[in-house]
Amino acid sequence: MLISAIWMLAAAGSNAGWQTPAEQSDFTRTPRYEEAMAWFERLDAASEQVQMGQFGLSPQGRALRTVVLASDGDFTPALAQASGKPIVLIQAAIHPGENEGKDALMALARDLTVANVHRDLLKNVVLVLVPIFNVDGHERFSPYNRINQNGPEAMGWRATAQNLNLNRDYMKADAPEMQAWLNLFNAWRPDLLIDLHNTNGADYQYELTWSYERHANLHPAVREWQNRVFAEQVKPVLQKRGWKLFNYVTMLDDTDLSAGLIDGASGPRYSIGYAAIANRAGLLVETHMLKDFKTRTAVNIDLLVEVLRGIARDPQALRQAVRKADADTVQRARQTDATLPLRLAPDESTREIEFLGYAYSRTHSDISNRMWVQYDPSKPQALRIPMRDKVEIVDQVTPPAAYVIPAQWTEVIARLRWHGVEMQAASSSVEVNASTWRFASPVWATQPFEGRLMLTQFTQTAEQGRFVLAEDSMVVSLDQPRANIAIHLLEPQAPDALLRWGFFNAIFEEKEYAEPRVMEAMARKMLAENAELKATFERRLQEDPVFAKDPQARLDFFYQRTPYFDQTYLRYPVLRLDAENLAKLQAVSAN
């Protein structure tokens, strides 16, 4: 393995007094939160190119810290944006057991500043580092937190103190840490998000796997930039140095590599999936958990340096790509036939690839009653296996011109604000033509996922009509850069819609009802006065035996056709406005 000579020199101690705690221990340990922050504070005091900040507090009261690296004092979002330089947000320890990203950021920050190793790379970029995102999970420190991992001697825990996985929380934003992160993201508006992890799963030769969006969930200009920099520039350099690099590994059968791999698009609940719908470049870095701690840290540093070199070759290319994506998103609001993908998935087609693995055996286990896979790292093999990576759009939507959210749905409105979605309050009550959805047959998960019982199934039927919008209803016009995020949050069929996460569960509850004795009399009167209704009722009795055997359902048939029935029951409270009715609403508000 040819590890970067520069990095090895620094790690050996050429920067007297600036070795990281990991380097000082010869990579047997990683520092705790307080030690890591104290190290960065010392770096801040020593360099005019470093400034620490705070963007929130964890549930256990720990500060969420940033380390901003800038060559010209561009230490605030306003100054950084005014500088015209691309802004890169690099975060580590969202899963604190996967710790080497933090240690790599410590070494990188030193090398870019006081060590003067890569100082030229700061001339044309502003770096916002979050060395430890999940600070409470980081301090649940133990040698027993990562059974699958090769060092260090102790590390943090995967979830937050509230037992939430932050890398599933980008859309619903339940965790205080994520709410703070969204404020950070929207303040700095980075052009590139890099998220540092390490894998679980199979054993293989690659030190580094990565993922970046290559599909219709990301604007073509940003996709093209990513492919040019990551695939055509960064990857060949790392391979030339001896690093083995592959796409993030997801096995079709976790006991058998020969069954093949699958590579799809990330949903927006994940970091780079969220970056994609925010029109930003994103890179997920996954070092291999069975490589030693020193190797995992070294490959992270080499990767980050080469990404910065790729940006430096044409600093404005990244900014131009994301700004074109934003501009096209705003412009799309004027296109009545435009569509936005909501769900993508690999199709069934495969291609054969070479995969650098190890010899392995599969035997039936009497303990687990499943196949037991055992790898032999002493026998590297180049495997020929199938890959499913052709992605198709499974569901898409034609966006409206705007959504309207009644003011009482305060949690929903708060989420949109955290996501940076622009909204305007209606200045007075007004009646508009709009559409929404009526739901039926809802089914919820029986086990919690990330603290919520998700709405997994339902049917939806479009409803159009005249609706009265109360004063202070929030109008979300989609001629804005964050339109994709609003659509993914508010379109019911989107996989991470707030409806699915349970923010609208109350609409599925019927609060008023009719006494059977009252409904019996009313039903007879309705049948006597309406021959068509009588025929419909009798036909339903003949065609639907379940209905025919259910006394309450038979009475509800009539109750639902009376003016007493709650017309908001099962109706989505979020309205969709077309351009004409949005213009009318805006004209009323202007007056």
Side-chain angles (χ1 to χ4, degrees):
M1 170 55 58
L2 300 176
I3 298 177
S4 165
I6 292 175
W7 182 82
M8 286 290 288
L9 186 64
S14 65
N15 302 290
W18 284 110
Q19 280 192 306
T20 68
E23 292 167 352
Q24 292 170 7
S25 71
D26 194 23
F27 293 89
T28 60
R29 59 178 293 269
T30 186
R32 299 287 295 266
Y33 167 84
E34 292 291 350
E35 183 181 4
M37 293 304 108
W39 192 94
F40 277 114
E41 287 167 358
R42 190 163 66 92
L43 189 68
D44 182 349
S47 173
E48 294 181 351
Q49 297 176 309
V50 182
Q51 186 173 100
M52 293 192 72
Q54 179 176 332
F55 65 97
L57 282 175
S58 73
Q60 291 184 336
R62 295 183 178 91
L64 299 167
R65 304 298 301 271
T66 57
V67 181
V68 180
L69 307 182
S71 61
D72 299 314
D74 303 316
F75 292 127
T76 68
L79 289 173
Q81 289 152 17
S83 75
K85 300 175 184 178
I87 301 170
V88 180
L89 173 59
I90 311 176
Q91 63 188 35
I94 190 172
H95 297 151
E98 306 166 24
N99 58 278
E100 63 271 10
K102 169 196 65 185
D103 299 277
L105 290 183
M106 297 176 80
L108 179 70
R110 173 200 63 206
D111 290 351
L112 289 172
T113 57
V114 296
N116 200 21
V117 176
H118 304 298
R119 188 180 292 244
D120 60 309
L121 296 180
L122 266 187
K123 292 179 181 178
N124 296 303
V125 68
V126 175
L127 299 183
V128 182
L129 311 182
V130 179
I132 306 174
F133 185 3
N134 178 5
V135 292
D136 291 345
H138 188 279
E139 290 308 284
R140 185 176 166 180
F141 212 74
S142 170
Y144 305 112
N145 282 348
R146 288 278 288 176
I147 193 171
N148 304 317
Q149 186 169 294
N150 181 11
E153 61 190 18
M155 69 287 291
W157 183 254
R158 182 177 182 84
T160 69
Q162 296 174 329
N163 207 36
L164 295 175
N165 184 339
L166 290 176
N167 203 26
R168 307 294 184 270
D169 199 44
Y170 281 89
M171 293 297 277
K172 64 182 176 68
D174 279 338
E177 298 95 329
M178 185 57 69
Q179 295 162 12
W181 184 93
L182 289 171
N183 287 332
L184 176 79
F185 186 79
N186 288 304
W188 284 93
R189 287 177 282 163
D191 302 292
L192 168 62
L193 170 65
I194 303 178
D195 192 13
L196 304 177
H197 290 250
N198 114 27
T199 63
N200 290 297
D203 197 3
Y204 41 75
Q205 298 179 45
Y206 303 102
E207 295 91 5
L208 179 72
T209 62
W210 65 2
S211 180
Y212 51 91
E213 298 308 296
R214 302 182 298 280
H215 308 293
N217 59 330
L218 179 62
H219 189 279
V222 186
R223 291 204 310 262
E224 191 278 331
W225 182 89
Q226 291 186 158
N227 187 65
R228 184 174 69 253
V229 173
F230 300 155
E232 298 175 12
Q233 297 175 10
V234 174
K235 185 176 181 180
V237 171
L238 293 178
Q239 290 176 323
K240 187 175 180 179
R241 290 196 187 139
W243 295 118
K244 295 182 179 68
L245 174 62
F246 194 77
N247 292 348
Y248 180 61
V249 174
T250 302
M251 301 167 63
L252 283 168
D253 178 345
D254 65 3
T255 71
D256 191 2
L257 272 168
S258 69
L261 306 177
I262 188 167
D263 189 6
S266 295
R269 72 183 60 167
Y270 306 100
S271 59
I272 62 168
Y274 184 81
I277 67 167
N279 291 328
R280 265 44 188 179
L283 180 62
L284 174 69
V285 179
E286 295 269 1
T287 57
H288 189 239
M289 77 284 185
L290 294 179
K291 305 302 182 284
D292 63 78
F293 179 29
K294 184 175 184 177
T295 296
R296 300 197 316 263
T297 306
V299 71
N300 258 324
I301 296 169
D302 262 5
L303 170 69
L304 294 173
V305 168
E306 290 309 315
V307 170
L308 295 179
R309 288 195 199 284
I311 294 172
R313 290 185 182 98
D314 186 356
Q316 290 307 303
L318 175 56
R319 283 173 53 83
Q320 290 166 359
V322 300
R323 276 145 189 78
K324 177 170 175 50
D326 280 348
D328 287 350
T329 299
V330 174
Q331 181 66 28
R332 184 186 62 206
R334 301 183 178 89
Q335 303 168 11
T336 57
D337 59 346
T339 59
L340 178 71
L342 294 179
R343 190 191 303 266
L344 298 94
D347 65 19
E348 296 299 320
S349 64
T350 63
R351 61 186 180 92
E352 190 178 69
I353 63 164
E354 181 179 83
F355 185 83
L356 300 180
Y358 297 121
Y360 66 97
S361 63
R362 300 171 73 244
T363 55
H364 183 268
S365 167
D366 294 333
I367 295 176
S368 64
N369 195 32
R370 59 167 286 170
M371 298 306 293
W372 177 27
V373 59
Q374 295 174 279
Y375 296 94
D376 186 352
S378 69
K379 297 178 180 178
Q381 291 184 348
L383 308 173
R384 304 296 299 184
I385 62 176
M387 167 69 88
R388 280 178 54 194
D389 60 357
K390 185 178 180 182
V391 170
E392 61 183 0
I393 297 172
V394 176
D395 195 5
Q396 61 184 2
V397 66
T398 298
Y403 298 102
V404 180
I405 308 167
Q408 64 267 27
W409 294 96
T410 53
E411 277 197 88
V412 172
I413 293 168
R415 260 50 179 194
L416 290 168
R417 285 201 174 103
W418 281 322
H419 284 283
V421 174
E422 297 174 5
M423 297 173 283
Q424 292 79 39
S427 59
S428 61
S429 178
V430 62
E431 190 174 358
V432 296
N433 288 319
S435 66
T436 188
W437 302 101
R438 182 79 65 171
F439 301 121
S441 307
V443 177
W444 283 267
T446 58
Q447 293 293 322
F449 175 67
E450 292 306 311
R452 290 179 175 268
L453 293 175
M454 292 194 72
L455 179 63
T456 58
Q457 298 178 38
F458 54 88
T459 61
Q460 58 189 82
T461 304
E463 286 192 1
Q464 294 184 333
R466 297 284 289 174
F467 295 87
V468 176
L469 306 185
E471 183 178 352
D472 293 330
S473 295
M474 301 306 297
V475 181
V476 182
S477 179
L478 295 183
D479 56 348
Q480 60 171 299
R482 291 293 190 258
N484 294 344
I485 296 174
I487 294 166
H488 274 270
L489 289 170
L490 296 176
E491 284 296 329
Q493 67 270 37
D496 280 296
L498 294 177
L499 176 87
R500 291 186 179 273
W501 283 110
F503 287 82
F504 292 98
N505 276 353
I507 69 172
F508 296 96
E509 301 176 37
E510 190 176 0
K511 299 300 185 181
E512 278 288 4
Y513 61 94
E515 291 280 4
R517 59 181 178 79
V518 174
M519 209 60 244
E520 289 280 1
M522 190 173 289
R524 283 165 172 74
K525 187 173 185 295
M526 293 168 70
L527 288 170
E529 294 176 349
N530 191 328
E532 183 179 348
L533 176 66
K534 181 178 180 181
T536 301
F537 177 63
E538 291 174 348
R539 185 166 56 251
R540 179 79 181 273
L541 291 174
Q542 294 173 357
E543 296 175 353
D544 187 346
V546 175
F547 171 78
K549 293 178 181 179
D550 188 338
Q552 188 61 52
R554 290 169 67 149
L555 288 179
D556 284 346
F557 174 90
F558 297 97
Y559 176 45
Q560 291 166 7
R561 287 162 173 79
T562 72
Y564 296 97
F565 184 70
D566 178 11
Q567 295 304 310
T568 67
Y569 175 54
L570 300 178
R571 189 177 74 194
Y572 192 39
V574 177
L575 301 180
R576 304 171 99 245
L577 295 181
D578 60 21
E580 180 181 355
N581 282 282
L582 173 60
K584 290 179 180 177
L585 177 60
Q586 290 171 334
V588 170
S589 296
N591 294 329

